[in-house]
Amino acid sequence: MLDRLQELHDEAAAQIESAVTLSDLRDVRVKYLGKKGPMTELMKGMGKLSSEERPKVGQKANEVRESLTGKLDAKEAKLESEALEAKLQEEKVDVTLPGRPVPKGGRHPLTSVVETIEDVFIGMGFTIAEGPEVETDYYNFESLNLPKHHPARDMQDTFFISSDLLLRTQTSPVQTRTMEKHQGVGPVKIICPGKVYRRDEDDATHSHQFMQIEGLVVDRGIRMSDLKGIFATFVKEYFGEDREIRLRPSFFPFTEPSAELDISCALCGGKGCRTCKGTGWIEVLGAGMVHPNVLRMGGFDPDVYSGFAFGMGVERFAMLKYGIDDIRHFYTNDTRFLSQFKHV
Ligand code: PHE
């Protein structure tokens, strides 16, 4: 029996030695040391041994078991560390490889244009005001000298939410909201950028949602020439020194007199081309002297105060500055378009 034990030991030791994988090793462990293995089988014969032989065989069996367990554990540790090493090798990161570029976003061109225009006006002492996009009929129309059923309401097709609530069609309601805050005391000198909504059919130059920048100046002795001076400065700062402006009579219910502001066409330098429809001039905004009714509804005394207001389309400014031919580009979020404005 002692010989048989030694034989089993050597046999198992050889198999441990030649095991290549952890699962080979597990098989050897089960085969030789498991409950159904030859060792267990052999031990069943212990009963038949003499009392002298029994302790010797018992001791030998323990030695074999211990030796094999030791070999198995050692080999297992070796195979495990080899496997880990192989895995580390395989997953090795080459820190000298060039990095993959991470696409970086930029500001939306409309945001950039608004910020540039804001900067110019802040430089002239204006502050930035805000107002809600969901407006009441009172602020969007009535307080701007547009009582209910006034025909000029049709100039701006409106998205009504209820008979009194609507999506503002213009940033002009912020005029009244700002004047109310000043409680009849000037000066007021604000611009207000924001989204406006109109029931327009979308095409290359119309969108049901677009942006405007409203401007309002109210103080003692404000005149039309102040409006003209502010714009001459603004247009030269924004579009360039060589641009001229002109005011053309127009009509808005909340300004009297009202004017449309044109700038000289950059493409033809004022000679007349397709972009300016042969006139040499491009219309960029509506403006005028604040109507006495509007001053009064905003809490200002028109006998003491006067003011001017203007409203410009942000998309139109962006299109003119960057030569963009379709307003829908601003809203379709094509990154090929947007990425061209990362640096502006
Ligand atoms: N609110 C006018 C529009 O949307 C523009 C405007 C503003 C005209 C202020 C005059 C004064 O067309």
Side-chain angles (χ1 to χ4, degrees):
M1 246 174 121
L2 287 174
D3 293 346
R4 180 65 190 136
L5 275 172
Q6 186 59 46
E7 253 174 56
L8 282 175
H9 174 272
D10 297 347
E11 210 179 289
Q15 284 186 31
I16 292 168
E17 187 59 42
S18 61
V20 187
T21 65
L22 283 164
S23 99
D24 289 350
L25 207 60
R26 212 171 305 121
D27 291 346
V28 178
R29 196 187 284 271
V30 172
K31 188 168 161 202
Y32 288 95
L33 299 180
K35 285 203 184 76
K36 289 177 190 143
M39 289 274 287
T40 318
E41 203 53 40
L42 200 66
M43 290 302 138
K44 281 183 187 157
M46 286 269 280
K48 291 180 199 131
L49 297 175
S50 69
S51 54
E52 279 156 39
E53 271 179 315
R54 208 177 294 146
K56 286 189 195 146
V57 172
Q59 198 191 344
K60 181 68 178 172
N62 279 342
E63 279 169 20
V64 168
R65 203 173 273 281
E66 258 168 43
S67 157
L68 289 181
T69 310
K71 286 186 196 303
L72 281 164
D73 291 350
K75 181 76 181 210
E76 188 177 83
K78 185 168 170 241
L79 288 179
E80 267 172 1
S81 81
E82 275 171 19
L84 182 65
E85 193 53 41
K87 200 163 175 205
L88 286 177
Q89 207 60 38
E90 189 183 312
E91 291 176 357
K92 197 162 158 184
V93 178
D94 182 353
V95 292
T96 65
L97 282 176
R100 294 195 192 100
V102 180
K104 211 167 136 217
R107 287 216 295 293
H108 191 279
L110 290 180
T111 308
S112 308
V113 168
V114 168
E115 286 177 358
T116 311
I117 295 177
E118 280 178 1
D119 283 350
V120 176
F121 278 97
I122 287 171
M124 293 191 282
F126 284 71
T127 53
I128 313 291
E130 275 182 12
E133 287 171 32
V134 176
E135 233 342 331
T136 60
D137 186 278
Y138 175 76
Y139 283 111
N140 196 80
F141 291 125
E142 280 196 51
S143 75
L144 295 168
N145 204 26
L146 272 154
K148 289 212 159 59
H149 311 299
H150 192 289
R153 284 189 175 212
D154 295 345
M155 280 164 79
Q156 302 174 357
D157 261 331
T158 311
F159 286 113
F160 278 97
I161 295 166
S162 67
S163 61
D164 188 45
L165 272 186
L166 46 83
L167 294 181
R168 69 179 176 194
T169 57
Q170 49 188 351
T171 42
S172 303
V174 183
Q175 288 188 31
T176 316
R177 288 182 175 277
T178 308
M179 282 191 280
E180 281 179 353
K181 281 191 196 129
H182 277 77
Q183 301 187 318
V185 185
V188 177
K189 205 172 174 190
I190 56 109
I191 59 165
C192 166
K195 293 195 192 86
V196 300
Y197 303 84
R198 287 187 200 175
R199 283 176 46 207
D200 260 335
E201 290 292 331
D202 289 2
D203 64 23
T205 52
H206 295 85
S207 169
H208 62 282
Q209 175 201 312
F210 57 100
M211 290 190 80
Q212 286 189 333
I213 297 178
E214 191 79 11
L216 175 69
V217 173
V218 179
D219 205 354
R220 291 166 203 262
I222 296 290
R223 296 171 308 185
M224 195 88 172
S225 53
D226 296 316
L227 169 88
K228 201 168 177 184
I230 291 274
F231 275 110
T233 310
F234 165 66
V235 165
K236 284 179 197 304
E237 287 245 5
Y238 185 76
F239 287 106
E241 276 301 319
D242 52 344
R243 306 302 282 276
E244 299 298 326
I245 63 163
R246 77 171 183 191
L247 290 170
R248 232 170 349 96
S250 183
F251 169 79
F252 297 102
F254 29 90
T255 46
E256 183 59 36
S258 301
E260 215 99 44
L261 183 98
D262 295 344
I263 58 171
S264 58
C265 180
L267 280 179
C268 59
K271 283 192 213 79
C273 68
R274 260 177 54 199
T275 304
C276 58
K277 299 192 185 97
T279 62
W281 295 93
I282 296 174
E283 177 194 320
V284 289
L285 57 84
M289 299 307 290
V290 182
H291 195 289
N293 286 347
V294 176
L295 283 172
R296 215 173 283 122
M297 279 186 277
F300 277 79
D301 180 353
D303 291 330
V304 179
Y305 284 101
S306 57
F308 68 80
F310 57 87
M312 56 179 125
V314 175
E315 283 80 354
R316 196 164 166 69
F317 270 78
M319 289 166 86
L320 287 173
K321 183 147 179 168
Y322 300 113
I324 298 162
D325 59 359
D326 195 321
I327 195 170
R328 288 167 293 196
H329 285 313
F330 293 114
Y331 301 105
T332 37
N333 289 334
D334 185 334
T335 51
R336 289 170 303 179
F337 170 76
L338 295 176
S339 63
Q340 297 175 54
F341 298 92
K342 266 185 200 169
H343 309 292
V344 299

